[in-house]
Amino acid sequence: MSILVNDQTRVLVQGFTGSQATLHSEQSIEYGTNIVGGVTPGKGGTTHLNKPVFNSVADAAKAEEPNAALIFVPAPFCKDSILEAADSGIELIICITEGVPTLDMLIVKKKIDELGLRLIGPNCPGIITPDEAKLGIMPGSIHKKGKVGIISRSGTLTYEAVKQTTDLGFGQSSCVGIGGDPIPGSSFIDMLELFNGDDETEAIVMVGEIGGSAEEDAADYIKDNVSKPVISYIAGQTAPAGKRMGHAGAIIAGGKGTAADKISKLQESGIHIAESLLHIGETVKKVIG
Amino acid sequence: MNLHEYQGKQLFAEFGLPVSKHEVVFNSDEAIQACNKIGGTKWVVKAQVHAGGRGKAGGVKLIESPEEARDFADQWLGKRLKTYQTDENGQLVSAILIESCTDIDKELYLSAVIDRSSQSVTFIASSEGGVNIEEVASKTPEKIIYENVDPLTGPQPFQARRISSVLGLDSNQAKQFSGMFQNFVKLFNELDLSLLEVNPLVINSEGKLHCLDAKINLDSNALYRHPSLVEMQDPTQEDPRESEAAKHDLSYVSLDGNIGCMVNGAGLAMGTMDTIKYFGGAPANFLDVGGTATQERVSNAFKIILADPEVKVVLVNIFGGIVRCDLIAEGIVAAIKDVGVNVPVVVRLEGNNAELGSQILADSGVEVESLNDLESAAKKSVELAK
C-alpha cells in the first residue's frame, strides 16, 4: 500500500509540451510512472514523449481515462487548468507551479471541495510512491521503498527528510509536498488521515515551517485521531517577524505563526520534534528504530 | 507589495469609497498650493511611510494655515520617521498627504484579509476604532465581528447588516455601509489585495461614514494583472538589498548575523539558517537561489550577500534534486571568479552528481571548502565566522 499514487495511477500532464513539463515528464516516465498522455491546447492529435497529446482535458479523459492530473502550466493559467481537470472529474489534481494568485486559489479550493475532488499544491514538488510512481519534480534516486510517510510544505526540505530516512534504511511509503502557499489544495490533516490508514506506513514525518496555523491544527488532529508516531521538524526558527521567507505562506504575521509556538503546540500534543534539520532521520530511528 | 496611504485613498475614491479631499506633495513649495486647492481653514498633514504608528511619532498634524503645511513638509520630507512599527532607522518620508480636516463623532475599525483558516476573504470590524485591533481582540472580543465572504457567491447584504449591527450604525449609516461593503469587496477582488485596513473608519459630524485611513497590501503573485499598480511601488520603503535581489528574481531577507547563506529552496534556506544557529552561529541573510542555480543567478546572489559588510563567510547549501550538482559547481566557480569573492566560501553539495560537483570545486583553483554533509559545512562556517 501507499497513499494517493501507485503503479496503477493513470497520469495526464497538463501543459505537457512546455519545457518544464517535458523535462519532468521524461524523468517520471523513466521512473516507471504510467503517464497516459498530455494536454496542450492547439497541439491535439500529435505525440510528445511517445504519448498522445490532446487539446483538452475532456478529450484526454474520454480517450485515456486518467485518474490523476499533473499541472505544469504558468501561474496565470493554473486556475483555468485546475478547474478544467476538475470539470472532467479527475479525482487527484497536482499543481506544481509557483506564484498562483491567492484569490485564484480561494475560488479553486472552494470549487474542488464542493466537487469532492483532491488538489495537491500549488507551489509543491508533487507526490512520489517509491518504485511505483513519481508525479512531480523530486529526484527519484534519493527515495527507497519503505515505511515512513512524509508530508511537507517545502520541496528541498522534503528531500532532506527523504535522504535521511533512506540512509538509515527506513525508506518511504509515499511522500507528499503540500506546497508553500497560504491557500494549499490539501492540508497536513488531509495527508495525516491517509497515512494513518495506510498499512505500509509505520511512522509519519511532518515537515512544517513558519506562517499560518496548519501545524497547530495538525497537532490537534494528531492528538485525537492518529495512532502512528509522528515526527516533526519546523523550519524558520531564526526567521524574523513580518518578512516573507521565500514561500508566499511563510510569514510570521501579527506575532502569529512562529516556529516556537508551533513546536510547543506539537510537543504538547505528543509529537516527536527533530531539534534540527539534521535530526529528522535520527528522531525517526529513536521512535521506530 | 505595500502601498502608501495616499495611493490607497486614490484607489478608494476610484471604487466609490468616501475619502477626504486630498492632495499629495513631494516638495514643500507645493504644500501651500495644495491647501488652497483643497480649500477650507483646517487641514491634516500626514507623512507618507509604509508603517503604522505615525501619529504618535509626530508624523501626523492638524494645521490651520497653509504655511504650517509648508513647514511640516520642510520638517519631514527626506527625513526618516521612526515609529513602533519601523526599525531603529525609521522609514524615509518621500511624500506628504494633505487633506481636509474631518470632524469626528465616532471612530470605528474595518479591515479585510485573506484568512488562511476559513480560506476566504474575511472582514474584521469593530466599534472600537483608532486603536490597536489586536488589543481589542484580546480584551473585548465581543466588540469585534469576523465575516467571511464566500469566494463563489460573493458578499451578501445580510453580512453588511450583521457588521452594521456590531458597529452600532443607525439605519441611514447601515444603508451607506451596505454599499461600501460591496465596493470594498470589489476593490479587494479586482485589484488582488492581500490586506485592506481602514483604521479609523469614522462617523463624521454629519452622521456619515468616512474612511480616514487607507492601508492596502497587494498580492505580489498577482501583480502581472495590474501594471498600473506596479508603478505605485516605492523602492525607498524597502531594504535596498532586498529590492536589488527582487530585481534579479532572488528571494532575499537580510538578518543580523555574519554568515551569508545561499541555498536552493525556501524551506531549506530557512533550515540552513536554523542549523547555523544550532551550532552557535548567526545567519546574515535568507536567500533562495532557486531550483535552477545558474551561473548568473549564483553570481547575482554572491553580489547581494557580499554587499552586507558584516558577512565574514558564505555558506552555499545546495540539494541538487533535478538540477545536477556538477553544473551548479561550475556556476559557483565561475561566479566566484566573476564577482571576486573575498571571504571564505563553504559549499555543501548533495544529491544529483554531488561527487562530480565536489571534484569540480576541488580542481577549480578557487578557494572553497567543499563538504558533502550539512553538519560539517555549518560547523565549518560557524568556526570561520568567529
Side-chain angles (χ1 to χ4, degrees), chain A residues 88-158:
Chain A
S88 285
I90 310 255
E91 55 210 62
L92 176 65
I93 303 166
I94 302 163
C95 183
I96 304 298
T97 313
E98 180 174 4
V100 180
T102 313
L103 290 178
D104 284 2
M105 278 311 299
L106 289 182
I107 292 168
V108 163
K109 170 69 174 144
K110 184 93 181 170
K111 192 70 193 171
I112 290 285
D113 287 352
E114 269 188 17
L115 294 170
L117 304 172
R118 196 185 291 278
L119 171 67
I120 304 285
N123 191 11
C124 79
I127 312 175
I128 185 168
T129 292
D131 295 348
E132 295 197 35
K134 177 173 115 71
L135 282 70
I137 60 173
M138 63 290 279
S141 62
I142 58 172
H143 296 80
K144 172 186 160 76
K145 194 155 199 58
K147 53 191 175 185
V148 179
I150 297 178
I151 321 166
S152 172
R153 281 169 68 186
S154 148
T156 37
L157 279 180
T158 317

Side-chain angles (χ1 to χ4, degrees), chain B residues 170-215:
Chain B
D170 68 24
S171 60
N172 280 332
Q173 290 156 359
K175 202 173 157 198
Q176 189 195 354
F177 182 74
S178 189
M180 285 172 69
F181 181 55
Q182 297 290 334
N183 290 342
F184 276 126
V185 175
K186 207 171 159 213
L187 167 67
F188 202 104
N189 287 338
E190 281 184 15
L191 301 187
D192 280 292
L193 271 49
S194 57
L195 175 137
L196 175 161
E197 187 179 53
V198 192
N199 190 20
L201 169 71
V202 303
I203 297 172
N204 63 22
S205 53
E206 292 158 15
K208 292 258 169 50
L209 287 164
H210 192 80
C211 304
L212 221 50
D213 194 14
K215 183 178 177 186

Side-chain angles (χ1 to χ4, degrees), chain B residues 285-306:
Chain B
N285 64 278
F286 165 95
L287 190 146
D288 175 8
V289 72
T292 53
T294 59
Q295 185 201 328
E296 191 195 355
R297 292 179 68 82
V298 174
S299 286
N300 287 328
F302 267 121
K303 282 178 197 161
I304 287 155
I305 291 170
L306 295 171

Side-chain angles (χ1 to χ4, degrees), chain B residues 89-122:
Chain B
N89 299 318
Q91 294 279 86
L92 183 75
V93 180
S94 51
I96 305 285
L97 174 70
I98 303 177
E99 58 182 24
S100 56
C101 179
T102 304
D103 290 322
I104 301 166
D105 262 10
K106 198 166 178 232
E107 292 189 315
L108 311 167
Y109 174 91
L110 186 80
S111 68
V113 297
I114 291 174
D115 180 51
R116 297 166 70 156
S117 303
S118 66
Q119 303 192 319
S120 63
V121 173
T122 298

Side-chain angles (χ1 to χ4, degrees), chain B residues 227-239:
Chain B
S228 63
L229 297 180
V230 176
E231 284 169 24
M232 291 186 171
Q233 188 153 28
D234 180 357
T236 68
Q237 303 296 308
E238 324 274 333
D239 179 290

